[in-house]
Amino acid sequence: MTVETDPAPDPTKSLLAFFGTELARIRTKAGLSQEKLAKLAHTTQSMISKVEAAKRVPSEDLARDLDIALKTDGHFQRLYPLVIHYAYPSWFLPFVELERIAVSIRSFQGQILHGLLQTEDYARIILAAGRPDNLDDLLAARMTRQSIFEREDRPRTWFIIDEYVLMRHIGGEAVMRAQFEHLLEAGQHPRTVIQLIPRAIAAHPGLKGPFTVLGFDEGEDVLHVDGFSQGRTTADHAEVAEADRTYDLLRAMALSPDASAELIGRHLKELGT
């Protein structure tokens, strides 16, 4: 029997917390366990637990399925737009929605790891550095994005990372040890490639800044470029073509996936035990 261990959030703290406590309240009133509700709503017990604990942002499909399973007459579907509005910055939400349906994701990062590769502890420290008022919501939103890896048709992902990213020990040795182990595990999946630009290569085209290119079954590729206050997403053909060219150059300069894993392993070993 599955043990429900995630603590209940304060419903006055955020809309995400309110959604979670409402789900727990109505589920309990209906006499359903998390496991039973998960089956009725076509999801997992873990997801129900995390949504109730405000650790994951519900999808629109999940909100609809919860209303059907609990016979709540659209209650959760009405809450969903409010939750999304406060969980993701308005400028970033279109990218998140595109990322969710992409069949391929190619990313370069030169300062921190891509959000799809971050452990929860690493992500929390990165987000906390900006001293936001809604840290817990931002963290839940970032970790929710990683649910794309749980799809049966998960996207093909390619991450090129400047080695200097690994040298920035976010959160100290314990956090980075878990993060390096996570990177090594992620790189073993046949649909994920991780390559490092070794620090010996001082100049490379990625110095212009981090970027991500999303590919789809239908339609043009989309480019997302990170910025100081907010990022920018575009389907402009010329800009996407330039990003493709830059990515090809970065791949040519990067270590092979096996050599990159060895280098990550060396960084892990240097942290000690």
Side-chain angles (χ1 to χ4, degrees):
M1 180 177 180
T2 303
V3 179
E4 301 173 8
T5 57
D6 284 316
D10 179 355
T12 67
K13 191 173 182 180
S14 71
L15 281 165
L16 182 59
F18 179 73
F19 189 105
T21 55
E22 277 291 276
L23 176 55
R25 179 184 67 82
I26 295 172
R27 173 183 61 77
T28 301
K29 185 177 180 180
L32 296 174
S33 66
Q34 290 180 344
E35 187 174 9
K36 179 62 176 177
L37 176 58
K39 292 179 180 178
L40 293 173
H42 314 294
T43 186
T44 64
Q45 183 273 331
S46 176
M47 178 58 72
I48 294 294
S49 176
K50 287 181 170 59
V51 169
E52 290 188 356
K55 292 182 178 180
R56 293 292 184 273
V57 178
S59 67
E60 187 173 10
D61 288 344
L62 178 58
R64 181 201 64 226
D65 289 341
L66 289 172
D67 278 328
I68 294 172
L70 294 168
K71 298 180 175 61
T72 41
D73 191 29
H75 177 59
F76 292 109
Q77 291 175 86
R78 289 191 294 274
L79 283 177
Y80 172 77
L82 298 174
V83 171
I84 288 296
H85 177 74
Y86 286 98
Y88 294 105
S90 58
W91 59 266
F92 192 55
L93 182 56
F95 173 78
V96 172
E97 292 175 339
L98 290 170
E99 183 182 64
R100 183 173 58 84
I101 62 173
V103 298
S104 68
I105 300 174
R106 291 173 290 157
S107 167
F108 168 76
Q109 295 291 328
Q111 294 181 316
I112 61 173
L113 292 170
H114 194 284
L116 294 178
L117 291 176
Q118 294 176 9
T119 64
E120 188 163 339
D121 288 338
Y122 183 99
R124 177 180 289 278
I125 294 167
I126 289 290
L127 292 168
R131 305 182 71 176
D133 294 329
N134 59 336
L135 174 60
D136 289 341
D137 283 6
L138 292 174
L139 179 62
R142 177 159 298 183
M143 302 314 295
T144 298
R145 289 168 54 202
Q146 297 183 12
S147 64
I148 64 171
F149 294 129
E150 299 170 8
R151 290 169 19 194
E152 290 186 7
D153 60 338
R154 61 180 283 170
R156 295 191 179 277
T157 52
W158 201 307
F159 301 96
I160 299 180
I161 306 163
D162 194 307
E163 186 186 358
Y164 283 106
V165 172
L166 307 188
M167 298 169 66
R168 180 172 285 109
H169 288 182
I170 304 295
E173 291 186 357
V175 172
M176 291 307 297
R177 185 178 298 111
Q179 181 64 76
F180 289 155
E181 291 171 348
H182 180 66
L183 282 179
L184 290 170
E185 181 180 358
Q188 292 176 0
H189 194 280
R191 284 180 174 258
T192 294
V193 175
I194 296 176
Q195 289 183 268
L196 298 183
I197 301 284
R199 62 180 182 266
I201 299 178
H204 57 73
L207 295 178
K208 291 185 291 184
F211 65 96
T212 300
V213 179
L214 304 179
F216 307 92
D217 277 331
E218 297 181 355
E220 300 294 326
D221 288 357
V222 169
L223 168 67
H224 179 79
V225 181
D226 289 327
F228 169 69
S229 61
Q230 64 181 51
R232 183 174 62 89
T233 302
T234 179
D236 180 80
H237 180 74
E239 289 192 68
V240 173
E242 179 61 22
D244 286 341
R245 177 179 177 276
T246 298
Y247 212 78
D248 286 342
L249 291 172
L250 288 168
R251 283 190 291 195
M253 295 179 174
L255 298 175
S256 71
D258 287 343
S260 296
E262 291 178 5
L263 183 52
I264 295 170
R266 290 201 294 273
H267 278 273
L268 175 59
K269 186 176 181 180
E270 289 172 2
L271 291 176
T273 57

Short mmCIF file of all heavy atoms in Angstrom, two decimals, residues 178-218:
data_model
loop_
_atom_site.label_atom_id
_atom_site.label_comp_id
_atom_site.label_asym_id
_atom_site.label_seq_id
_atom_site.Cartn_x
_atom_site.Cartn_y
_atom_site.Cartn_z
N ALA A 178 24.90 15.23 -6.04
CA ALA A 178 23.63 14.67 -6.53
C ALA A 178 23.34 15.16 -7.94
O ALA A 178 22.80 14.41 -8.77
CB ALA A 178 22.50 15.08 -5.59
N GLN A 179 23.72 16.41 -8.24
CA GLN A 179 23.48 16.95 -9.58
C GLN A 179 24.34 16.25 -10.63
O GLN A 179 23.87 15.92 -11.72
CB GLN A 179 23.76 18.45 -9.58
CG GLN A 179 23.53 19.13 -10.91
CD GLN A 179 22.08 19.08 -11.35
OE1 GLN A 179 21.24 19.81 -10.84
NE2 GLN A 179 21.77 18.22 -12.32
N PHE A 180 25.60 16.01 -10.32
CA PHE A 180 26.46 15.30 -11.27
C PHE A 180 25.96 13.87 -11.49
O PHE A 180 25.96 13.38 -12.63
CB PHE A 180 27.90 15.26 -10.75
CG PHE A 180 28.60 16.60 -10.78
CD1 PHE A 180 29.66 16.86 -9.91
CD2 PHE A 180 28.22 17.58 -11.66
CE1 PHE A 180 30.31 18.08 -9.93
CE2 PHE A 180 28.87 18.82 -11.70
CZ PHE A 180 29.92 19.06 -10.83
N GLU A 181 25.53 13.21 -10.44
CA GLU A 181 24.99 11.85 -10.58
C GLU A 181 23.75 11.86 -11.46
O GLU A 181 23.54 10.96 -12.28
CB GLU A 181 24.68 11.27 -9.20
CG GLU A 181 25.94 10.98 -8.37
CD GLU A 181 25.62 10.60 -6.94
OE1 GLU A 181 24.44 10.79 -6.52
OE2 GLU A 181 26.54 10.13 -6.23
N HIS A 182 22.93 12.90 -11.29
CA HIS A 182 21.72 13.03 -12.11
C HIS A 182 22.08 13.24 -13.57
O HIS A 182 21.44 12.67 -14.47
CB HIS A 182 20.88 14.20 -11.59
CG HIS A 182 19.61 14.42 -12.35
ND1 HIS A 182 18.57 13.50 -12.35
CD2 HIS A 182 19.20 15.45 -13.15
CE1 HIS A 182 17.58 13.96 -13.11
NE2 HIS A 182 17.94 15.13 -13.61
N LEU A 183 23.09 14.05 -13.84
CA LEU A 183 23.54 14.27 -15.21
C LEU A 183 24.00 12.97 -15.86
O LEU A 183 23.67 12.67 -17.01
CB LEU A 183 24.67 15.28 -15.25
CG LEU A 183 24.33 16.77 -15.12
CD1 LEU A 183 25.61 17.59 -15.15
CD2 LEU A 183 23.38 17.20 -16.23
N LEU A 184 24.78 12.21 -15.11
CA LEU A 184 25.29 10.95 -15.65
C LEU A 184 24.14 9.98 -15.96
O LEU A 184 24.14 9.30 -16.98
CB LEU A 184 26.26 10.31 -14.66
CG LEU A 184 27.60 11.04 -14.50
CD1 LEU A 184 28.39 10.47 -13.34
CD2 LEU A 184 28.41 10.95 -15.79
N GLU A 185 23.15 9.95 -15.09
CA GLU A 185 22.00 9.08 -15.31
C GLU A 185 21.18 9.56 -16.51
O GLU A 185 20.76 8.76 -17.35
CB GLU A 185 21.11 9.07 -14.06
CG GLU A 185 19.89 8.17 -14.19
CD GLU A 185 19.03 8.16 -12.94
OE1 GLU A 185 19.40 8.82 -11.96
OE2 GLU A 185 17.98 7.48 -12.97
N ALA A 186 20.97 10.88 -16.60
CA ALA A 186 20.18 11.42 -17.71
C ALA A 186 20.84 11.12 -19.05
O ALA A 186 20.16 10.81 -20.04
CB ALA A 186 20.02 12.93 -17.53
N GLY A 187 22.16 11.20 -19.09
CA GLY A 187 22.88 10.98 -20.34
C GLY A 187 22.88 9.54 -20.82
O GLY A 187 23.26 9.26 -21.96
N GLN A 188 22.44 8.62 -19.98
CA GLN A 188 22.40 7.21 -20.37
C GLN A 188 21.16 6.86 -21.17
O GLN A 188 21.10 5.82 -21.82
CB GLN A 188 22.48 6.33 -19.12
CG GLN A 188 23.82 6.39 -18.40
CD GLN A 188 23.83 5.57 -17.12
OE1 GLN A 188 22.83 4.95 -16.74
NE2 GLN A 188 24.95 5.56 -16.43
N HIS A 189 20.15 7.73 -21.14
CA HIS A 189 18.93 7.43 -21.88
C HIS A 189 19.19 7.57 -23.38
O HIS A 189 19.84 8.53 -23.82
CB HIS A 189 17.79 8.36 -21.47
CG HIS A 189 16.45 7.88 -21.93
ND1 HIS A 189 16.00 8.07 -23.23
CD2 HIS A 189 15.47 7.20 -21.28
CE1 HIS A 189 14.80 7.52 -23.35
NE2 HIS A 189 14.45 7.00 -22.19
N PRO A 190 18.70 6.64 -24.18
CA PRO A 190 18.99 6.69 -25.63
C PRO A 190 18.45 7.92 -26.33
O PRO A 190 18.93 8.26 -27.42
CB PRO A 190 18.34 5.40 -26.16
CG PRO A 190 17.35 5.00 -25.11
CD PRO A 190 17.93 5.43 -23.82
N ARG A 191 17.48 8.62 -25.75
CA ARG A 191 16.93 9.81 -26.39
C ARG A 191 17.54 11.11 -25.86
O ARG A 191 17.09 12.19 -26.22
CB ARG A 191 15.40 9.85 -26.21
CG ARG A 191 14.66 8.88 -27.13
CD ARG A 191 13.16 8.94 -26.93
NE ARG A 191 12.48 8.11 -27.92
CZ ARG A 191 11.88 8.58 -29.01
NH1 ARG A 191 11.88 9.87 -29.25
NH2 ARG A 191 11.27 7.77 -29.85
N THR A 192 18.55 11.00 -25.00
CA THR A 192 19.19 12.19 -24.45
C THR A 192 20.69 12.16 -24.71
O THR A 192 21.34 11.16 -24.42
CB THR A 192 18.93 12.32 -22.94
OG1 THR A 192 17.53 12.55 -22.72
CG2 THR A 192 19.71 13.48 -22.34
N VAL A 193 21.21 13.25 -25.24
CA VAL A 193 22.64 13.39 -25.47
C VAL A 193 23.14 14.58 -24.65
O VAL A 193 22.53 15.65 -24.67
CB VAL A 193 22.95 13.62 -26.96
CG1 VAL A 193 24.45 13.89 -27.15
CG2 VAL A 193 22.50 12.44 -27.80
N ILE A 194 24.22 14.37 -23.92
CA ILE A 194 24.85 15.44 -23.15
C ILE A 194 26.31 15.54 -23.58
O ILE A 194 27.04 14.55 -23.54
CB ILE A 194 24.76 15.18 -21.63
CG1 ILE A 194 23.29 15.19 -21.19
CG2 ILE A 194 25.55 16.24 -20.86
CD1 ILE A 194 23.09 14.85 -19.72
N GLN A 195 26.70 16.74 -24.01
CA GLN A 195 28.08 16.98 -24.41
C GLN A 195 28.62 18.22 -23.70
O GLN A 195 27.88 19.19 -23.49
CB GLN A 195 28.18 17.19 -25.92
CG GLN A 195 27.96 15.94 -26.75
CD GLN A 195 28.14 16.21 -28.22
OE1 GLN A 195 27.18 16.53 -28.92
NE2 GLN A 195 29.38 16.10 -28.71
N LEU A 196 29.89 18.18 -23.38
CA LEU A 196 30.54 19.31 -22.72
C LEU A 196 31.51 20.01 -23.65
O LEU A 196 32.21 19.35 -24.43
CB LEU A 196 31.30 18.84 -21.48
CG LEU A 196 30.50 18.20 -20.34
CD1 LEU A 196 31.43 17.88 -19.18
CD2 LEU A 196 29.37 19.11 -19.88
N ILE A 197 31.53 21.33 -23.57
CA ILE A 197 32.59 22.11 -24.19
C ILE A 197 33.69 22.23 -23.15
O ILE A 197 33.49 22.88 -22.11
CB ILE A 197 32.11 23.52 -24.58
CG1 ILE A 197 30.94 23.47 -25.55
CG2 ILE A 197 33.28 24.33 -25.15
CD1 ILE A 197 31.30 23.11 -26.96
N PRO A 198 34.84 21.59 -23.32
CA PRO A 198 35.88 21.64 -22.28
C PRO A 198 36.40 23.06 -22.07
O PRO A 198 36.44 23.86 -23.01
CB PRO A 198 36.97 20.71 -22.83
CG PRO A 198 36.76 20.72 -24.30
CD PRO A 198 35.28 20.85 -24.51
N ARG A 199 36.79 23.35 -20.85
CA ARG A 199 37.24 24.71 -20.54
C ARG A 199 38.52 25.09 -21.30
O ARG A 199 38.86 26.27 -21.39
CB ARG A 199 37.45 24.89 -19.04
CG ARG A 199 38.50 24.01 -18.39
CD ARG A 199 38.56 24.33 -16.91
NE ARG A 199 39.57 23.57 -16.18
CZ ARG A 199 39.35 22.45 -15.54
NH1 ARG A 199 38.11 21.92 -15.55
NH2 ARG A 199 40.31 21.83 -14.88
N ALA A 200 39.21 24.10 -21.85
CA ALA A 200 40.40 24.40 -22.67
C ALA A 200 40.03 25.18 -23.92
O ALA A 200 40.86 25.88 -24.50
CB ALA A 200 41.11 23.10 -23.04
N ILE A 201 38.77 25.06 -24.35
CA ILE A 201 38.29 25.84 -25.50
C ILE A 201 37.75 27.15 -24.96
O ILE A 201 36.59 27.24 -24.52
CB ILE A 201 37.21 25.08 -26.29
CG1 ILE A 201 37.79 23.76 -26.83
CG2 ILE A 201 36.69 25.93 -27.44
CD1 ILE A 201 36.79 22.92 -27.59
N ALA A 202 38.58 28.17 -24.95
CA ALA A 202 38.21 29.44 -24.30
C ALA A 202 37.17 30.22 -25.10
O ALA A 202 36.30 30.87 -24.53
CB ALA A 202 39.46 30.30 -24.10
N ALA A 203 37.25 30.16 -26.43
CA ALA A 203 36.32 30.92 -27.27
C ALA A 203 35.49 29.96 -28.11
O ALA A 203 36.02 29.07 -28.78
CB ALA A 203 37.09 31.88 -28.17
N HIS A 204 34.18 30.15 -28.07
CA HIS A 204 33.27 29.34 -28.90
C HIS A 204 32.01 30.16 -29.15
O HIS A 204 31.74 31.15 -28.45
CB HIS A 204 32.97 28.00 -28.22
CG HIS A 204 32.37 28.12 -26.85
ND1 HIS A 204 31.07 28.53 -26.64
CD2 HIS A 204 32.89 27.90 -25.61
CE1 HIS A 204 30.80 28.53 -25.34
NE2 HIS A 204 31.89 28.18 -24.70
N PRO A 205 31.20 29.79 -30.14
CA PRO A 205 30.04 30.61 -30.50
C PRO A 205 28.96 30.67 -29.43
O PRO A 205 28.08 31.55 -29.49
CB PRO A 205 29.51 29.95 -31.79
CG PRO A 205 30.08 28.57 -31.77
CD PRO A 205 31.40 28.67 -31.09
N GLY A 206 29.02 29.79 -28.45
CA GLY A 206 28.04 29.83 -27.37
C GLY A 206 28.23 30.98 -26.41
O GLY A 206 27.37 31.25 -25.57
N LEU A 207 29.34 31.69 -26.53
CA LEU A 207 29.59 32.82 -25.65
C LEU A 207 28.59 33.95 -25.87
O LEU A 207 28.48 34.86 -25.04
CB LEU A 207 31.03 33.34 -25.84
CG LEU A 207 32.14 32.37 -25.45
CD1 LEU A 207 33.50 32.99 -25.73
CD2 LEU A 207 32.04 31.98 -23.98
N LYS A 208 27.87 33.89 -26.98
CA LYS A 208 26.84 34.91 -27.23
C LYS A 208 25.66 34.75 -26.28
O LYS A 208 24.88 35.68 -26.12
CB LYS A 208 26.36 34.82 -28.68
CG LYS A 208 27.42 35.24 -29.70
CD LYS A 208 26.86 35.26 -31.11
CE LYS A 208 26.55 33.86 -31.61
NZ LYS A 208 26.11 33.88 -33.03
N GLY A 209 25.53 33.59 -25.65
CA GLY A 209 24.46 33.41 -24.69
C GLY A 209 23.74 32.08 -24.84
O GLY A 209 23.83 31.42 -25.89
N PRO A 210 22.99 31.65 -23.80
CA PRO A 210 22.26 30.39 -23.85
C PRO A 210 21.06 30.46 -24.80
O PRO A 210 20.47 31.53 -24.97
CB PRO A 210 21.81 30.19 -22.40
CG PRO A 210 21.71 31.58 -21.86
CD PRO A 210 22.81 32.35 -22.52
N PHE A 211 20.72 29.33 -25.40
CA PHE A 211 19.55 29.29 -26.27
C PHE A 211 19.05 27.87 -26.39
O PHE A 211 19.77 26.90 -26.11
CB PHE A 211 19.88 29.87 -27.65
CG PHE A 211 20.89 29.07 -28.44
CD1 PHE A 211 20.49 28.13 -29.38
CD2 PHE A 211 22.26 29.27 -28.25
CE1 PHE A 211 21.41 27.40 -30.11
CE2 PHE A 211 23.20 28.55 -28.98
CZ PHE A 211 22.78 27.60 -29.91
N THR A 212 17.80 27.74 -26.81
CA THR A 212 17.17 26.44 -27.00
C THR A 212 16.38 26.45 -28.30
O THR A 212 15.69 27.43 -28.60
CB THR A 212 16.21 26.11 -25.83
OG1 THR A 212 16.95 26.07 -24.61
CG2 THR A 212 15.53 24.76 -26.05
N VAL A 213 16.48 25.37 -29.06
CA VAL A 213 15.71 25.22 -30.29
C VAL A 213 14.77 24.03 -30.12
O VAL A 213 15.20 22.92 -29.79
CB VAL A 213 16.63 24.98 -31.52
CG1 VAL A 213 15.78 24.80 -32.78
CG2 VAL A 213 17.59 26.15 -31.70
N LEU A 214 13.48 24.28 -30.33
CA LEU A 214 12.46 23.23 -30.23
C LEU A 214 12.03 22.81 -31.63
O LEU A 214 11.83 23.66 -32.51
CB LEU A 214 11.23 23.75 -29.48
CG LEU A 214 11.45 24.32 -28.07
CD1 LEU A 214 10.11 24.80 -27.50
CD2 LEU A 214 12.08 23.28 -27.15
N GLY A 215 11.88 21.49 -31.82
CA GLY A 215 11.40 20.95 -33.09
C GLY A 215 10.07 20.24 -32.90
O GLY A 215 9.79 19.71 -31.81
N PHE A 216 9.25 20.20 -33.94
CA PHE A 216 7.91 19.65 -33.85
C PHE A 216 7.60 18.72 -35.02
O PHE A 216 8.27 18.76 -36.05
CB PHE A 216 6.88 20.79 -33.82
CG PHE A 216 7.15 21.82 -32.77
CD1 PHE A 216 7.92 22.94 -33.07
CD2 PHE A 216 6.70 21.66 -31.47
CE1 PHE A 216 8.21 23.89 -32.11
CE2 PHE A 216 6.97 22.60 -30.50
CZ PHE A 216 7.73 23.71 -30.81
N ASP A 217 6.59 17.87 -34.82
CA ASP A 217 6.17 16.99 -35.91
C ASP A 217 5.68 17.81 -37.10
O ASP A 217 5.88 17.45 -38.25
CB ASP A 217 5.03 16.07 -35.43
CG ASP A 217 5.57 14.85 -34.70
OD1 ASP A 217 6.70 14.42 -35.01
OD2 ASP A 217 4.87 14.33 -33.82
N GLU A 218 4.99 18.90 -36.81
CA GLU A 218 4.47 19.79 -37.85
C GLU A 218 4.85 21.23 -37.51
O GLU A 218 4.87 21.62 -36.34
CB GLU A 218 2.94 19.67 -37.97
CG GLU A 218 2.47 18.29 -38.39
CD GLU A 218 0.95 18.22 -38.51
OE1 GLU A 218 0.30 19.22 -38.18
OE2 GLU A 218 0.44 17.17 -38.92
#
